[in-house]
Amino acid sequence: MNIKEALRIYFIMGSNNCGHHEPLDVLKQAIDGGITMFQFREKGSGALIGEAKKQFARDCFRLCKQANVPFIVNDDVDLAIEIGADGVHVGQDDLDAGIVRQKLGQDKIIGVSSHTLQESKAAIEAGADYIGMGPVYATTTKLDTNPVAGTTAIQETREHFPQFPIVAIGGLQADNFTPAIEAGADGISIISAIASVPNPKEATEKLVSTMKEVINDA
Ligand code: 3NM
């Protein structure tokens, strides 16, 4: 798998991000619309736990597998191993990427959230396959984010690591993500601009077509 291509339109979702939509229907629509990777992020207020979380993860994984969309689990390494997910994404307060690598083995994808060049360096040295950088813009989806970062740290990391896979996150939507790609990100991570809109499939298609234009222009 080409990780940079998989990062292009990276949809992240948990059941509490979907408003009045049925979460599996949101994921199905996002897949039909053309997402290139999916992260199962079942956390925060009202999130499923225990068996219900596991069953929801398996259902999401099944939809992704049918469409050849890589399936990444946020934070929960044991769940990822148990269901055979394609990888794990960890934040700065979660398990260290080196430990995740030991647990998962070499052939799985490990993503790490980074906010500075220093955090990017540490994640890369610890064996990450990609880093997620943000928040580019203000977001109300995650309450404990770092301060809004714009694209400066993305640009710095890109200058130091010309080839390393980077995905931007935070407040991104079709009409505002271009600066993140111009700063050097390979793709965009999206929660609310797909999960909380009236038509997730149409929103995804718009992100996909805008990304094609932005990449061709770059
Ligand atoms: N992590 P939306 S921002 C999960 O900056 C997450 O590390 C962030 O949601 C970070 O696309 C964020 O709705 C939320 O803004 C992204």
Side-chain angles (χ1 to χ4, degrees):
M1 177 201 319
N2 180 323
I3 299 246
K4 284 170 176 265
E5 281 174 21
L7 292 176
R8 290 275 194 258
I9 308 290
Y10 184 5
F11 180 43
I12 303 175
M13 187 197 85
S15 59
N16 60 3
N17 300 128
C18 298
H20 57 277
H21 292 300
E22 209 283 300
L24 284 176
D25 182 51
V26 171
L27 178 55
K28 176 89 176 49
Q29 289 197 45
I31 290 171
D32 289 347
I35 59 166
T36 50
M37 186 140 93
F38 175 67
Q39 183 186 127
F40 178 80
R41 184 173 179 278
E42 189 62 24
K43 52 165 60 168
S45 163
L48 301 171
I49 54 169
E51 269 311 308
K53 176 182 176 186
K54 209 178 285 180
Q55 188 54 50
F56 180 44
R58 286 189 200 280
D59 290 342
C60 291
F61 191 16
R62 181 171 33 81
L63 291 181
C64 288
K65 243 187 197 158
Q66 284 166 0
N68 266 323
V69 171
F71 179 88
I72 307 296
V73 172
N74 183 287
D75 193 11
D76 193 338
V77 181
D78 292 339
L79 174 65
I81 292 171
E82 185 175 341
I83 69 176
D86 297 304
V88 168
H89 185 98
V90 284
Q92 290 293 320
D93 298 331
D94 302 330
L95 267 188
D96 181 78
I99 294 170
V100 179
R101 176 63 71 202
Q102 281 174 13
K103 287 175 170 251
L104 284 184
Q106 289 306 319
D107 61 337
K108 298 291 184 182
I109 301 167
I110 297 177
V112 176
S113 299
S114 160
H115 311 93
T116 61
L117 174 59
Q118 209 171 359
E119 287 179 358
S120 299
K121 279 183 180 161
I124 292 167
E125 277 165 22
D129 294 297
Y130 74 86
I131 45 177
M133 301 199 68
V136 175
Y137 301 114
T139 176
T140 52
T141 307
K142 185 173 191 271
L143 299 177
D144 59 345
T145 58
N146 281 43
V148 170
T151 56
T152 310
I154 293 174
Q155 198 167 343
E156 284 172 1
T157 298
R158 175 53 72 225
E159 281 163 12
H160 278 74
F161 300 99
Q163 298 302 330
F164 196 79
I166 301 172
V167 67
I169 188 165
L172 298 172
Q173 45 195 45
D175 64 2
N176 72 4
F177 74 75
T178 303
I181 302 300
E182 287 173 348
D186 297 294
I188 51 174
S189 295
I190 302 274
I191 299 181
S192 54
I194 294 177
S196 323
V197 298
N199 190 328
K201 178 164 182 269
E202 231 172 66
T204 308
E205 286 168 345
K206 177 74 181 153
L207 290 163
V208 170
S209 62
T210 307
M211 182 62 82
K212 278 194 185 128
E213 285 166 24
V214 172
I215 287 174
N216 283 337
D217 287 349

